[in-house]
Amino acid sequence: MDRLDAMYVLLAVVEAGSLSAAARKLNVPLPTVSRRIADLEAYLGARILVRSSRRVSLTDAGVAYIEASRQILDRLQEVERAVSGAYSEPKGKLTITSPTVLGKTHVMPIVIEFLRAYPAIDIRLRFSDQISPFAEGQIDLALRVGNLPDSSLIAAPIGNIRRVTCASPAYLAVRGIPQLPDDLMQHDCITFDNLASSDAWRFGGEEGMSIVPVHSRLTVSGAEAAVQAAIEGIGLASLLSYQVADAHRNGTLQVVLAAYELPAWPVNFVYAGQQLLPRKLTAFLNFATPRLRARFAEETASFDTIPKSGRTPTGPMT
């Protein structure tokens, strides 16, 4: 049995979610995939996968084995890349993940510039407001918002963002400008449900954190929809500063309750720690980091009031 080949097949099964999906991904017959897994389990003397009619899952032994397999295969890929020159010149494919709106507004323009400057590098840019584990997603680099847990990942600080409350000038002209968070109980609200509860919003201030009941006339699963609804005058929205930066800059949204904002969240580039980074990753970090830092610094300057609360929020880490 070729154990490296069996590891590749097992990893494909776990990532694809089923033996048949892995067979399609690997472009091999389904019986071949099934036989590789059976041979591996027989060699190990332990069951690795729990098979059902639709999906497979890992046993406890399988979880430990797949993690060790990933480390072995990753190390092998590093050696192969070193031999083929991936560490001597910027080339190859780079997979980057980012929160959706942040990726579209901030990362995408830089990626376009980078591709023009580095014709030997291809980029796969994935937008998602959910965190993708590095090991499962074959990710080279992630842009993440929020306080990072301790891990072996390396973080490169980019800037900070804030959670702001905003509405259209037309809405505020009719309904009035809230002066205190409690005033929101008399207003219509728009909630982006990945960021806040539709029933209550959190605020900071000199007296600490407070939770204010709100009436969400609209709850959406995307930040762009919340921004559009706020511009159209449906109500007040609670969003992240980069999500409303353009609308704030052109005057279609006005920030209120700035003195009661929660503390800012850090934004970081995150990547796996390695003794020797591939040149493609180093090239992108050197290219994108100063450009993104400048963009965030400009946006921070455009919002007038600095948050006064000293507490750290528990928020999105996307």
Side-chain angles (χ1 to χ4, degrees):
M1 180 190 64
D2 186 331
R3 277 183 284 171
L4 283 178
D5 181 61
M7 288 178 186
Y8 277 117
V9 171
L10 175 62
L11 187 59
V13 170
V14 172
E15 291 178 349
S18 70
L19 272 67
S20 57
R24 290 191 296 271
K25 178 180 178 181
L26 297 171
N27 195 27
V28 298
L30 176 58
T32 300
V33 173
S34 181
R35 187 168 58 253
R36 291 286 192 279
I37 300 301
D39 289 346
L40 182 59
E41 289 179 326
Y43 175 82
L44 295 173
R47 193 176 184 186
I48 296 175
L49 295 177
V50 178
R51 301 164 178 81
S52 68
S53 59
R54 301 187 65 179
R55 291 189 64 81
V56 295
S57 59
L58 289 167
T59 64
D60 290 343
V63 170
Y65 190 79
I66 198 71
E67 180 59 32
S69 296
R70 282 198 178 102
Q71 293 177 12
I72 292 169
L73 295 175
D74 286 347
R75 179 56 183 155
L76 178 60
Q77 288 177 350
E78 285 185 22
V79 174
E80 291 173 343
R81 285 195 297 263
V83 172
S84 65
Y87 288 102
S88 61
E89 60 179 304
K91 66 178 181 179
K93 182 174 291 185
L94 198 61
T95 299
I96 303 169
T97 67
S98 169
T100 303
V101 177
L102 188 57
K104 291 179 180 179
T105 58
H106 291 55
V107 180
M108 189 62 187
I110 292 173
V111 164
I112 291 172
E113 286 186 63
F114 180 81
L115 290 173
R116 289 173 178 154
Y118 290 87
I121 297 178
D122 300 328
I123 289 181
R124 182 184 181 192
L125 184 56
R126 293 164 48 183
F127 297 142
S128 175
D129 292 322
Q130 304 299 320
I131 294 178
S132 299
F134 270 68
E136 294 181 9
Q138 299 297 304
I139 299 166
D140 296 299
L141 183 67
L143 188 64
R144 291 186 175 168
V145 176
N147 297 296
L148 299 170
D150 292 335
S151 72
S152 60
L153 300 177
I154 307 300
I158 298 298
N160 295 285
I161 62 170
R162 292 145 54 177
R163 179 167 159 178
V164 299
T165 306
C166 57
S168 71
Y171 174 90
L172 296 173
V174 174
R175 300 291 297 272
I177 299 175
Q179 302 299 315
L180 299 170
D182 286 346
D183 294 343
L184 294 184
M185 290 185 283
Q186 308 304 318
H187 282 267
D188 297 329
C189 294
I190 303 161
T191 296
F192 170 34
D193 62 8
N194 194 46
L195 181 63
S197 163
S198 60
D199 300 320
W201 290 355
R202 291 179 299 135
F203 290 89
E206 294 181 354
E207 297 182 0
M209 194 175 297
S210 62
I211 299 176
V212 177
V214 297
H215 170 220
S216 291
R217 291 210 64 207
L218 177 65
T219 302
V220 295
S221 60
E224 292 166 307
V227 171
Q228 185 61 36
I231 291 173
E232 295 293 334
I234 298 301
L236 289 141
S238 177
L239 292 162
L240 298 178
S241 51
Y242 72 84
Q243 294 166 341
V244 302
D246 289 342
H248 174 258
R249 192 178 296 111
N250 64 33
T252 53
L253 285 180
Q254 179 178 335
V255 174
V256 300
L257 300 174
Y260 299 95
E261 292 174 6
L262 293 167
W265 283 300
V267 181
N268 291 280
F269 268 139
V270 178
Y271 54 94
Q274 302 178 44
Q275 291 183 342
L276 186 62
L277 289 180
R279 288 290 304 277
K280 62 182 181 180
L281 179 56
T282 301
F284 187 83
L285 285 169
N286 291 341
F287 188 93
T289 299
R291 288 167 170 80
L292 274 177
R293 284 176 177 167
R295 178 74 178 262
F296 276 104
E298 179 184 352
E299 287 182 358
T300 298
S302 72
F303 290 90
D304 298 329
T305 305
I306 298 175
K308 298 179 181 179
S309 172
R311 298 191 179 185
T312 300
T314 55
M317 290 173 50
T318 56

